[in-house]
Amino acid sequence: MATLNNNFLKLQKNYLFVEIAQRVAKYKEEHPDAPVIRLGIGDVTRPLAPAVIEALHKAVDEQASSETFRGYGPEQGYEFLRQAIKDNVFQPRGVEIGIDEIFINDGAKSDTGNFGDILGTDNSVLITDPVYPVYIDSNVMAGRAGDINEGTWSRITYAPCTAENGFVPALPEKPVDIIYLCYPNNPTGTVLRREDLKRWVDYANETGALILYDAAYEAYIRHDDIPRSIYEIEGAKQCAVEFHSYSKTAGFTGLRCGFTVVPKEVTARAADGSRVALNPLWNRRQCTKFNGTPYIVQRAAEAIYSPEGKRQVQETIDYYMENARIMREALTAAGLQVFGGEDAPYIWFRVPEGTTSWGFWETLLTKYNIVSTPGVGFGPSGEGYIRLTAFGSREECTEAMRRIAANPF
Ligand SMILES: *Cc1c(COP(=O)(O)O)cnc(C)c1O
């Protein structure tokens, strides 16, 4: 008889957004006319850039003729896109990344989860807390998380990020092997300064730990002194793998494309004690389990790097960041302590004294008809906070803030 990977039975039942959807559905059932505004889920709402649409149409037409038809592409992605990434993402920042270190993916969620395939199940894992849930659940599935007890996993090290430490995680006291960092951060919307990130890179190089760096929101960084890639930090090519996504950068949440950078220098220890490069192993994994991102989608991604594409994509990012500014100002004026939203499309704020994440979440829903995300849903250190996203429409965003200003807490 077939048996299960029992680790799947350890996964927590109610995924955060399912719980939110259920609570909102119940509220709407009881108040069918309530003008509910959703500032909770992190999906984008603006359409794809015209340059992207044009590239898609052209690529579709190519598929209609035997001369230009493309079937299976390289598992690592087409060279035209990998070259465009090298030239437009890394070169301008003085980072030397080879195209054979760039792997086109079908989104950063898949690869942040998949990367564990080539890593031992005996590794100890560090996450920042609060955290994007995929890092934890994919490690639960792999058997690296241990057992859950009062909301924390026994074999995962949590690095709290709260207002008290300025949302800068402290280096661990006990040794860890794999470190997940996500900057700009989802859910807190905060960033790491160069010197803070350097401490993690130095730590990883000193101890042999591997950093899995999620740069899904790098396009939202506005301050020049904030690193947009971990490879801007000296020594990072020896210890870090970096995940990029076009989802939040260019509205590809439905198209599905991004890229993963695995430098040739980055290694992990084999059972015999030798250090083995991860790049060829990841290549082998991809060639076995992945047959490439669709050609037309890779052409769409390439279009982001044309002069018009760059300008159009920036306009959309500016639109979301203006939403973020409006929310920051309104919530600050309402007396809340607000974080994030300056180099990221997320606003993270502390709930008023005497309430909790879920308690204030209910207030926002029932008093203002605003759907938010309770910070505690992202981990224990998220208790006492709420996340709002800047991905809504300008109209909904300003209307939500108007309701708060008109009827203070
Ligand atoms: C949205 C998001 C991603 C992107 O996921 P895709 O699979 O590329 O859509 C990755 N990491 C974080 C933290 C995110 O919030």
Side-chain angles (χ1 to χ4, degrees):
M1 175 141 186
T3 63
L4 281 175
N5 172 351
N6 269 282
N7 295 315
F8 277 69
L9 303 181
K10 293 185 174 182
L11 292 164
Q12 291 309 93
K13 286 277 178 310
N14 238 334
Y15 188 56
L16 174 62
F17 292 105
V18 175
E19 172 77 20
I20 291 172
Q22 283 168 356
R23 290 193 189 208
V24 173
K26 182 164 173 285
Y27 180 78
K28 286 209 69 150
E29 214 175 276
E30 292 159 2
H31 307 85
D33 298 328
V36 170
I37 294 178
R38 292 169 196 274
L39 300 178
I41 295 184
D43 197 358
V44 297
T45 55
R46 306 293 293 164
L48 292 164
V52 169
I53 295 295
E54 201 180 304
L56 277 171
H57 280 301
K58 186 160 168 273
V60 167
D61 286 342
E62 283 177 350
Q63 295 292 67
S65 136
S66 56
E67 284 82 60
T68 48
F69 168 77
R70 309 262 189 148
Y72 289 129
E75 289 91 345
Q76 305 80 3
Y78 283 99
E79 200 164 313
F80 62 78
L81 180 54
R82 300 162 89 196
Q83 188 69 45
I85 291 165
K86 176 179 157 66
D87 296 345
N88 291 282
V89 179
F90 295 109
Q91 211 109 295
R93 292 175 217 160
V95 174
E96 203 42 62
I97 293 288
I99 66 167
D100 50 0
E101 297 175 306
I102 297 169
F103 296 82
I104 307 304
N105 64 33
D106 62 355
K109 185 196 231 181
S110 330
D111 271 12
T112 50
N114 291 339
F115 207 80
D117 272 16
I118 64 168
L119 302 170
T121 52
D122 52 350
N123 282 298
S124 61
V125 172
L126 177 142
I127 53 130
T128 57
D129 171 31
V131 76
Y132 179 56
V134 174
Y135 312 148
I136 293 190
D137 284 356
S138 56
N139 279 293
V140 173
M141 291 172 181
R144 288 190 202 94
D147 296 301
I148 194 161
N149 185 14
E150 289 181 19
T152 62
W153 294 89
S154 58
R155 287 182 55 208
I156 288 186
T157 299
Y158 293 74
C161 295
T162 60
E164 283 66 34
N165 63 12
F167 299 93
V168 177
L171 295 175
E173 282 160 18
K174 284 189 318 196
V176 296
D177 305 310
I178 300 172
I179 296 161
Y180 287 85
L181 295 177
C182 171
Y183 289 98
N185 188 258
N186 177 11
T188 66
T190 58
V191 290
L192 276 194
R193 292 171 312 167
R194 217 164 274 278
E195 56 268 37
D196 295 322
L197 190 51
K198 178 87 168 60
R199 289 193 357 265
W200 284 90
V201 169
D202 290 346
Y203 172 86
N205 281 325
E206 280 157 23
T207 61
L210 173 69
I211 297 176
L212 300 180
Y213 194 76
D214 187 341
Y217 297 95
E218 57 93 2
Y220 289 84
I221 294 174
R222 309 223 131 183
H223 292 90
D224 285 343
D225 52 333
I226 301 297
R228 293 180 64 158
S229 162
I230 195 169
Y231 303 119
E232 291 177 40
I233 309 297
E234 201 193 326
K237 272 181 17 188
Q238 279 72 49
C239 65
V241 169
E242 182 166 280
F243 303 93
H244 285 250
S245 166
Y246 296 113
S247 287
K248 318 303 169 21
T249 307
F252 275 48
T253 51
L255 273 188
R256 313 301 309 142
C257 192
F259 59 95
T260 299
V261 182
V262 189
K264 296 253 174 78
E265 294 94 321
V266 67
T267 58
R269 206 180 60 240
D272 67 4
S274 61
R275 291 192 89 137
V276 176
L278 296 185
N279 177 295
L281 282 189
W282 180 245
N283 188 48
R284 184 62 199 263
R285 188 269 175 209
Q286 289 299 82
C287 291
T288 302
K289 290 197 182 180
F290 186 58
N291 247 342
T293 305
Y295 170 71
I296 60 173
V297 174
Q298 292 190 58
R299 282 294 185 198
E302 181 193 25
I304 292 164
Y305 300 115
S306 70
E308 323 77 79
K310 277 184 185 165
R311 189 177 43 74
Q312 293 161 359
V313 162
Q314 190 57 48
E315 272 173 22
T316 302
I317 289 171
D318 291 346
Y319 176 96
Y320 293 135
M321 289 307 283
E322 176 62 11
N323 284 351
R325 189 195 62 76
I326 290 166
M327 289 195 285
R328 270 185 69 87
E329 275 189 10
L331 296 170
T332 305
L336 294 169
Q337 221 185 337
V338 183
F339 307 95
E342 289 183 307
D343 292 292
Y346 294 113
I347 303 282
W348 186 251
F349 67 84
R350 230 202 259 265
V351 302
E353 285 276 329
T355 177
T356 61
S357 281
W358 274 115
F360 200 64
W361 183 92
E362 288 282 352
T363 303
L364 285 174
L365 179 65
T366 56
K367 187 166 163 189
Y368 305 100
N369 292 163
I370 297 171
V371 181
S372 61
T373 312
V376 70
F378 297 102
S381 296
E383 179 53 275
Y385 295 89
I386 292 275
R387 188 192 77 172
L388 293 179
T389 87
F391 289 134
S393 70
R394 178 67 43 77
E395 295 69 29
E396 288 196 312
C397 181
T398 46
E399 167 59 15
M401 295 305 114
R402 189 199 60 73
R403 289 180 195 169
I404 289 173
N407 189 5
F409 306 123

